[in-house]
Amino acid sequence: MAKNDLSKRDGFTSKFGIIAAATGSAIGLGNIWKFPYIAGENGGGAFIIIYLVFIILIGVPVMMSEFIIGRKAKQNVFGAFKQLTSHGFWKIIGIMGVLAAFLILSFYGTVASWTIEYLILAFKNSFSGKSADELATMFDTFSQGAIKPVIWQILFMALTAYIVIGGIKKGIEKYTKILMPMLLVIIIYLDITAITLKGGVEGFRFLFYPNFSLITSESIIDALGHAFFTLSLGMGVLITYASYFQKDTNITNTSISVAGADTIIALLAGLAIFPAVFAFNAEPAAGPGLVFMTLPNIFELMPGGYIFSILFFLLLAVAALTSSISIMEVVVAFVSEEKNISRKKATIFTAIAITITGILCTLSIGPLSHIKIAEYNIFDIFDILASNILLPLGGMLISIFIGWKMKKHIITDELSNYGTIQLKFVKLFIFLVRYLAPIAISFVFVHGLWDILIN
Ligand code: PHE
């Protein structure tokens, strides 16, 4: 008997498990580190309004498309297109998805390794008594090293692999059901502490006051690109997860819940960070350093800073972990189903391969920083290739597949769970995936290429 008999396929056991896993994938470093910073840089409130429009009009329909494809095909991202169409072209989505998973998980592992180091430093109260310069040097010295970041990266990948080996019920669902509520509790605690800081109101204003004069065409493109990254769209993570959905999972409601939760957490992260940044006169647009260099400064100055710092880096680590398992699952499902090998072997093989490419990313900050294409090191190249090219292109193809290629009755069957739920917005949905999503996404894609060409 084949090792991967589809009728014996693993799957989620509850609605809450599905929401925990899917929001676990969506909520990650993108929400807690990237969103506050790019929102701040692009005019705060005005940017957030544009981003919300993209989440609703493009993010949710593309997410629904991935769910429809995954649950209908009940296979990994490559197998899904093999099964749904005889035309070989669409398998390209699967190939791009697996490639994007490799690239994203590689640099995700690098940032996760920094998170582990900072969690330990927080525990040891190592930020205490250090000046801003000393904290910056501390980050540079650590991240440019060759041993420690690599060891933490291996540890993080091993933890990710451990959960993925367990499968869906006994791995991904089991752990995300514990980790996601934990994340919510931590972030709410951080928000309460941050909002009550004296001088924090300025942070509120910065984040929510819509100043449209700061919006440029680039901010609009950034907002769309980030909507993709933050919702884990365009590379088959959600196709793979949906292949384990139950018959009665409501695809429309699940998409709205996941997108809603992801957005709320991004806003809560901004609320935890900016009031503190303003209360202590730090630089709001400090970019990648914001979390690792600026925040430790603030922890030192604020009441309860010791606990706050531990909880913050724990939050970051948990968010990174529940996203990284979803990325690894894309490759593991692909390898185990297409090559017909056991989940355990597929996971070990995948984890080792991605750890190797990931170490290249980590070392590209320090020892391998001389290897560059244009001004970009390996870490940047992986990020640009995945986020600016593969995700938008994948998302565009997925929406075109649903809008133009998939039979309409399959779409309505999946959205209505074979007639058991009343359909409300099918016409709007078809319009969005047929026209609006492909056109808008192609803008991001062209922008991504343009960025590379002019640099
Ligand atoms: N959505 C995750 C985040 O915001 C990143 C991610 C991208 C995860 C693509 C899976 C796929 O951090």
Side-chain angles (χ1 to χ4, degrees), residues 139-432:
F139 178 70
D140 288 340
T141 313
F142 158 72
S143 62
Q144 290 168 12
I147 312 275
K148 245 195 198 171
V150 170
I151 293 176
W152 295 146
Q153 181 164 29
I154 293 172
L155 180 80
F156 179 77
M157 295 301 289
L159 199 59
T160 305
Y162 173 78
I163 296 177
V164 173
I165 283 182
I168 303 304
K169 278 187 214 64
K170 299 197 189 107
I172 294 174
E173 179 170 0
K174 179 173 148 195
Y175 288 98
T176 51
K177 267 159 81 175
I178 304 166
L179 294 172
M180 292 315 286
M182 181 169 141
L183 182 138
L184 194 65
V185 172
I186 297 176
I187 201 156
I188 289 173
Y189 174 80
L190 295 183
D191 275 311
I192 294 170
T193 316
I195 292 170
T196 49
L197 285 175
K198 235 175 115 213
V201 181
E202 204 40 48
F204 255 114
R205 230 184 105 78
F206 182 73
L207 206 53
F208 293 116
Y209 180 74
N211 182 353
F212 279 96
S213 68
L214 291 173
I215 293 290
T216 60
S217 59
E218 192 157 341
S219 337
I220 297 174
I221 290 161
D222 273 357
L224 184 58
H226 188 64
F228 261 83
F229 186 82
T230 193
L231 293 178
S232 307
L233 295 176
M235 54 169 278
V237 161
L238 300 178
I239 291 178
T240 308
Y241 271 12
S243 73
Y244 307 112
F245 278 8
Q246 297 162 317
K247 278 206 301 286
D248 62 351
T249 304
N250 184 328
I251 286 179
T252 312
N253 288 357
T254 306
S255 306
I256 294 170
S257 310
V258 173
D262 184 78
T263 308
I264 290 170
I265 296 291
L267 295 176
L268 288 178
L271 274 181
I273 293 169
F274 284 111
V277 167
F278 279 88
F280 298 105
N281 283 322
E283 170 56 52
L290 184 68
V291 161
F292 297 100
M293 296 197 233
T294 314
L295 282 188
N297 259 306
I298 299 171
F299 296 145
E300 226 193 302
L301 299 169
M302 72 194 288
Y306 174 66
I307 298 290
F308 197 98
S309 67
I310 294 173
L311 289 179
F312 182 81
F313 288 111
L314 188 63
L315 173 73
L316 209 57
V318 168
L321 184 64
T322 57
S323 295
S324 69
I325 56 180
S326 74
I327 305 174
M328 192 180 279
E329 177 61 28
V330 169
V331 187
V332 168
F334 165 74
V335 173
S336 81
E337 288 172 7
E338 297 303 316
K339 301 283 166 237
N340 207 20
I341 55 177
S342 73
R343 165 171 279 271
K344 190 169 172 188
K345 275 200 195 124
T347 310
I348 293 171
F349 165 80
T350 305
I352 291 175
I354 299 184
T355 304
I356 294 170
T357 49
I359 289 173
L360 282 178
C361 270
T362 298
L363 295 181
S364 77
I365 308 294
L368 299 182
S369 59
H370 57 280
I371 303 178
K372 280 191 171 156
I373 298 181
E375 79 213 68
Y376 300 114
N377 62 21
I378 300 173
F379 181 102
D380 300 329
I381 292 165
F382 278 26
D383 184 8
I384 292 170
L385 214 58
S387 314
N388 291 2
I389 299 181
L390 293 172
L391 295 190
L393 195 58
M396 190 169 82
L397 291 174
I398 287 166
S399 62
I400 293 172
F401 184 80
I402 287 287
W404 297 90
K405 179 94 188 143
M406 190 91 141
K407 293 207 177 62
K408 179 109 188 286
H409 77 88
I410 299 183
I411 298 174
T412 48
D413 283 349
E414 285 302 325
L415 291 180
S416 70
N417 290 347
Y418 291 82
T420 56
I421 351 178
Q422 217 196 332
L423 287 177
K424 287 195 200 110
F425 310 107
V426 180
K427 281 217 177 83
L428 175 66
F429 169 70
I430 302 273
F431 167 78
L432 294 175

